Amino acid sequence: QILLKHAAGTVKRVSMELGGHAPFIVFDSASVDRAVAGALASKYRNSGQTCVCTNRFLVQKGIHDKFVEKFAKAIERELHVGSGFDENTTQGPLINEKAVEKVERHISDAVSQGASVVTGGKRHSLGKNFFEPTLLSNVTTKMLCTQEETFGPLAPVIKFDTEEEAIAIANAANVGLAGYFYSQDPAQIWRVAEQLEVGMVGVNEGIISSVESPFGGVKQSGLGREGSKYGIDEYLEIKYVCVGGL
């Protein structure tokens, strides 16, 4: 927003990618195993420190318990916190002390309001800026972790009843960069993909970025797109030449 103000003074073209608050919806029709695999990839890449990392998990009540159970087991089995020089490491440190404190604050706030720590929940024994991959259940929309972008290895799970409820929760944000959902219902796939207020949607996919794809968001997640053939459009000017009288 500050950069936009500076650019306005000389009417400069800009493209702005301003972060997100990505929802990850798992409907009853979804393949639980595929959803868990996508959740791991989307949430814990770079220890949760990317703008398109999932920040809110919304899981339908019919599949909720099974998803949480399998997700917790996958986290404990497949994620390894450690040095980047160790080949077995999948989770490195957070960028600084302030980032660690934010994760702790989100967990503390959620637990104080009734959330349960399924796995993780504290700084890792390695110390410094290392934090345990964490999964919370019994999460509500009143908790900080569902209102702010955590930017860390915290996965809060909200249980929902209907598709309409999930869409309302997912769209109740002033940002909209990426969104993900899992469903095997073709009609539902098209409905939800169209209704999600985000610039990029992953359907049964947890990793959506590629050089061929237009990367960017809606609402306060930014202006314009990066990558793909559309990325250059932000910086091109259309010139109209009308020639007559020859």
Side-chain angles (χ1 to χ4, degrees):
Q1 293 171 343
I2 293 170
L3 290 172
L4 276 173
K5 289 178 182 178
H6 285 299
T10 49
V11 197
K12 285 185 172 66
R13 282 180 176 258
V14 293
S15 59
M16 310 294 283
E17 190 270 283
L18 304 171
H21 188 36
F24 188 111
I25 307 171
V26 186
F27 291 104
D28 282 344
S29 68
S31 162
V32 178
D33 291 336
R34 288 189 63 183
V36 166
L40 271 180
S42 175
K43 173 68 256 184
Y44 294 106
R45 58 190 294 201
N46 199 35
S47 298
Q49 300 172 107
T50 86
C51 53
V52 292
C53 279
T54 294
N55 205 64
R56 303 169 288 159
F57 287 90
L58 288 69
V59 185
Q60 199 159 13
K61 61 180 181 180
I63 208 171
H64 174 274
D65 293 351
K66 184 184 295 184
F67 175 85
V68 170
E69 179 184 357
K70 289 195 171 188
F71 195 14
K73 290 180 179 178
I75 290 170
E76 294 166 358
R77 180 180 65 249
E78 298 185 29
L79 300 183
H80 306 284
V81 180
S83 165
F85 294 102
D86 185 342
E87 291 184 1
N88 294 322
T89 295
T90 64
Q91 304 288 289
L94 300 191
I95 189 169
N96 54 29
E97 177 75 12
K98 186 176 179 181
V100 176
E101 291 173 353
K102 186 175 186 181
V103 177
E104 288 181 322
R105 185 168 67 253
H106 280 190
I107 293 172
S108 175
D109 171 79
V111 170
S112 72
Q113 296 187 61
S116 302
V117 177
V118 182
T119 187
K122 60 185 184 299
R123 297 192 190 208
H124 195 272
S125 57
L126 286 173
K128 292 293 184 180
N129 297 334
F130 291 91
F131 203 92
E132 295 178 345
T134 302
L135 175 61
L136 299 180
S137 64
N138 300 319
V139 174
T140 71
T141 57
K142 295 181 180 180
M143 299 172 183
L144 277 179
C145 60
T146 61
Q147 297 174 1
E148 300 176 351
E149 185 180 24
T150 303
F151 222 70
L154 170 60
V157 178
I158 302 169
K159 183 190 292 187
F160 71 88
D161 290 330
T162 66
E163 178 183 311
E164 292 75 19
E165 180 186 1
I167 294 296
I169 294 172
N171 289 342
N174 62 1
V175 291
L177 188 58
Y180 311 85
F181 70 92
Y182 277 68
S183 170
Q184 293 296 310
D185 180 340
Q188 183 177 59
I189 286 173
W190 288 110
R191 284 197 309 271
V192 175
E194 289 182 353
Q195 292 180 70
L196 280 180
E197 295 173 356
V198 296
M200 300 173 285
V201 181
V203 184
N204 297 322
E205 292 288 344
I207 300 293
I208 57 175
S209 303
S210 70
V211 295
E212 300 86 2
S213 305
F215 188 100
V218 299
K219 299 194 279 192
Q220 291 188 36
S221 278
L223 299 170
R225 294 296 182 268
E226 302 167 11
S228 80
K229 67 178 184 178
Y230 301 104
I232 194 65
D233 285 353
E234 304 301 321
Y235 301 96
L236 299 180
E237 299 284 1
I238 296 174
K239 177 179 283 187
Y240 164 56
V241 179
C242 178
V243 178
L246 295 179

